[in-house]
Amino acid sequence: MKSFPMFIRTTDRCVVIVGGGEAAAQKARLILKTDAALILVAPTLDPELADLVATGRATHHQCLSAGLFTKASFAFVATGCPGFDAAAYGLARAANCLVNVVDRPEMCEITTPAIVDRDPLVVAIGSEGTAPVLTRDVKSLLERLLSPNIGGLAALAGRLRPVAARHVPRENRRGLWAWALKGPPRAAWLRGAEREAARSIKDAILSGGPPQDAMAGQIAIIEAGSGASDLMTLRAVSRLQEADVIFHDAAVSEAVLELARRDAERVALHTSVCGWPAARTGSVILAQAREGRHVVRLCAGPAEDVLDAELAALHDPDIRLEIVPGVCRAIPQAQALCPVALSEAV
């Protein structure tokens, strides 16, 4: 990455937009989604921007000065005049204000992403200015995937977090929110039974955690397949995102491990540091699951190679064991059916 994605707090802060035409209005529409104070700088404003000033949503300055940028979180420059844009950029940078000059990527410390807004759940998609058409395409896909009311569930979780901190032991909190935001309460919320979902979450908080079956540990044995991260199945990625601890073969690529939860504990197996025998590996994995943790055993090769050696140690009727095959498992069968087409695709 050449740009680090980050959300900037706008409460009690201002954003400066230099320009009074349509390009400036486009940036103003973005900022209106936030609670930032909006400062417009231009000799004249088009009717849309003038209305923002008339209704008190923005303030207007006809003349540009360095002082306007000193307390701004960031600024947009959109005058359409190369000379004036450059002057405004220089004043903003002199005031240590992050700035975006429309259609001038060499003058952009910040870029505006495509946004999927399910406030307070917000998804930002960017391509570092290289492919805006692609970012808009990804945005369209996410708009269809995310239910319009999913933001309300996120807002409810935010309001209930202080209550959960008082009533739910620390070790049970992640399980609580995983159950609430991925389990039955979420399903109820998305089908419109919002009151039912809220009631079940509140009851779980007051009882100290989610239902007992939701706290049970799980083990997922995942094949990394060819080792390419873009060939991992959706289920494999989902299990990696849920994992508390990941036991992986040393040969598993870093690109595949990047798909996992950032704070998941990782244990590399069969290295000079960790050379446990298979039975020992299985018993350690099972012990982690019995503590209520979600455990992933990530295999560089076919799961059978692991199962033959480790499965006996993983048996426990109270622990859910799942095998997630890799994409490469399907290739021999598919090639037998259509060898020419598959070889051309490869």
Side-chain angles (χ1 to χ4, degrees), residues 312-336:
L314 295 178
H315 178 69
D316 187 323
D318 297 324
I319 300 297
R320 180 188 173 202
L321 176 64
E322 178 183 21
I323 299 174
V324 183
V327 170
C328 64
R329 291 281 298 277
I331 290 181
Q333 295 89 333
Q335 192 153 20

Side-chain angles (χ1 to χ4, degrees), residues 265-318:
E265 182 182 346
R266 298 181 185 180
V267 179
L269 300 171
H270 311 306
T271 66
S272 58
V273 176
C274 174
W276 294 334
R280 168 68 171 155
T281 300
S283 64
V284 172
I285 289 174
L286 185 59
Q288 292 284 323
R290 283 172 173 165
E291 292 179 6
R293 308 184 83 187
H294 288 206
V295 185
V296 162
R297 172 64 171 95
L298 188 55
C299 311
E304 287 87 349
D305 295 347
V306 173
L307 289 178
D308 289 345
E310 297 178 13
L311 186 57
L314 295 178
H315 178 69
D316 187 323
D318 297 324

